[in-house]
Amino acid sequence: MRGVVFDGERVQVVDDLEIRDPGPGEVLVAVSAAGLCHSDLSVVDGTIPFPVPVVLGHEGAGVVEAVGAGVSHVAPGDHVALSTLANCGTCADCDRGRPTMCRRAIGRPGRPFTRGGKPLFQFASNSAFAERTLVKAVQAVKIPADVPLPSAALIGCGVLTGVGAVLNRARVERGDTVLVIGTGGIGLNVIQGARIAGALRIVAVDANPAKEEVARQFGATDFLTSADGVRELLPTGADHAFECVGRTELIRQAVDLLDRHGQAILLGVPPATAEASFLVSSMYLDKSILGCRYGSARPQRDIALYAELYRQGLLLLDELVTGTYPVEDFDKARADAEAGRLARAVLTF
């Protein structure tokens, strides 16, 4: 079968992958579509260290092909969106409803794929850039069959991360002011999450002026090409500032532009050794800096919720898909994504 493989030096679209049958508690999914996320590119450029060779992809949707023993919430033929969160379901954090903090969900890549008899790693417990992938049952979330799979594919990472950061981590309230730095796939979902939450003013900042139209489409009330103008719009600062790029100087801007009792939420991913600075004295007015993993999501609940919000016309998904490519055109999709020409590229099988 086809898939996108990174061997540590180059990325290849191959056609000779094999995958094992599902074991107990596992689900085999025929992937229909998968979003190309910045995290996939970060593996390739070394920003995210990951063992190789690895089958890339982590934002996908498809149709259940087979299930292992003990799986009862999905069955062959069901449409599913895939989560990257292979949490155990039994530890103290899972029991508290904090599956993103499950230690078994982080840094334990499996190897369900083989090529030429040699095992390959699975990226983010998902590897959606393959015609078929094998996930833990908890990662397969049933969605209505009338949700288009290319749009549903984006729920499992970009939407969960962006919208979830607003609703679950920051807990934006009606009437709040929100600053969003960076309007790529994550930033656009932060913007629409803030709109859904009822934020009064949503200021989007992106150096690319061409992104203004789509930012406003998703809910931005204002658009700036530099954070220098934020104080003119929000004289006392923002209640919530989301950094969605992963640059330390922008993290500093997010902190500096907070109002009293404001909070900066960090979503962008800088290099693993990056350090950011801020004025300690600026924090004594009850300000906070919050990390956020995967939108503090509870995928079985949140993916189903976001699919329903889409069906009701409240959550934009189709509009995120700004480029669709057959998997063989991965290089073109990657080039377009790196050039900033897309909100999200979607690979199809």
Side-chain angles (χ1 to χ4, degrees), residues 79-101:
H79 287 207
V80 292
L82 301 179
S83 159
T84 70
L85 204 59
N87 59 295
C88 72
T90 58
C91 69
D93 283 308
C94 286
D95 191 52
R96 294 187 184 106
R98 301 188 306 202
T100 57
M101 295 297 103

Side-chain angles (χ1 to χ4, degrees), residues 150-194:
S151 298
L154 304 185
I155 300 178
C157 179
V159 177
L160 273 185
T161 299
V163 177
V166 173
L167 302 183
N168 300 330
R169 186 66 167 132
R171 298 186 180 273
V172 172
E173 296 182 352
R174 186 172 300 277
D176 284 354
T177 56
V178 172
L179 170 64
V180 183
I181 301 176
T183 61
I186 299 300
L188 289 176
N189 280 298
V190 171
I191 289 170
Q192 70 170 334

Side-chain angles (χ1 to χ4, degrees), residues 38-39 158-166 169-170 179-182 185-191 241-247 251 254 264-270 290-296:
H38 184 72
S39 294
V159 177
L160 273 185
T161 299
V163 177
V166 173
R169 186 66 167 132
L179 170 64
V180 183
I181 301 176
I186 299 300
L188 289 176
N189 280 298
V190 171
I191 289 170
F242 295 83
E243 199 283 336
C244 305
V245 181
R247 288 169 46 187
I251 292 173
I265 299 91
L266 310 186
L267 297 179
V269 182
L290 305 179
C292 184
R293 172 174 163 77
Y294 202 43
S296 300

Side-chain angles (χ1 to χ4, degrees), residues 214-232:
V214 68
R216 290 187 181 275
Q217 180 184 18
F218 275 71
T221 59
D222 303 272
F223 184 91
L224 299 169
T225 55
S226 169
D228 293 342
V230 171
R231 286 289 181 183
E232 295 179 17

Side-chain angles (χ1 to χ4, degrees), residues 1-4 11-15 129 131 324-334 346-349:
M1 66 179 184
R2 294 170 294 167
V4 180
V11 180
Q12 290 180 276
V13 180
V14 304
D15 60 5
F129 292 170
E131 286 187 80
T324 303
Y325 306 77
V327 68
E328 289 80 7
D329 287 347
F330 174 82
D331 286 340
K332 185 177 188 307
R334 175 185 173 185
V346 172
L347 303 179
T348 57
F349 291 90

Side-chain angles (χ1 to χ4, degrees), residues 29-186:
V29 177
V31 178
S32 296
L36 175 57
C37 176
H38 184 72
S39 294
D40 299 303
L41 303 180
S42 293
V43 173
V44 176
D45 68 21
T47 301
I48 297 178
F50 206 87
V52 293
V54 57
V55 181
L56 295 174
H58 66 285
E59 186 180 69
V63 180
V64 175
E65 192 165 284
V67 300
V71 177
S72 59
H73 73 293
V74 293
D78 284 345
H79 287 207
V80 292
L82 301 179
S83 159
T84 70
L85 204 59
N87 59 295
C88 72
T90 58
C91 69
D93 283 308
C94 286
D95 191 52
R96 294 187 184 106
R98 301 188 306 202
T100 57
M101 295 297 103
C102 174
R103 285 168 172 80
R104 291 186 177 274
I106 303 172
R108 296 172 184 265
R111 292 195 284 183
F113 299 96
T114 56
R115 185 181 181 217
K118 297 181 180 180
L120 290 83
F121 287 99
Q122 184 176 37
F123 179 52
S125 302
N126 189 306
S127 289
F129 292 170
E131 286 187 80
R132 291 175 181 80
T133 192
L134 194 64
V135 297
K136 290 183 64 174
V138 71
Q139 296 176 257
V141 184
K142 186 176 179 180
I143 58 173
D146 59 359
V147 178
L149 289 172
S151 298
L154 304 185
I155 300 178
C157 179
V159 177
L160 273 185
T161 299
V163 177
V166 173
L167 302 183
N168 300 330
R169 186 66 167 132
R171 298 186 180 273
V172 172
E173 296 182 352
R174 186 172 300 277
D176 284 354
T177 56
V178 172
L179 170 64
V180 183
I181 301 176
T183 61
I186 299 300

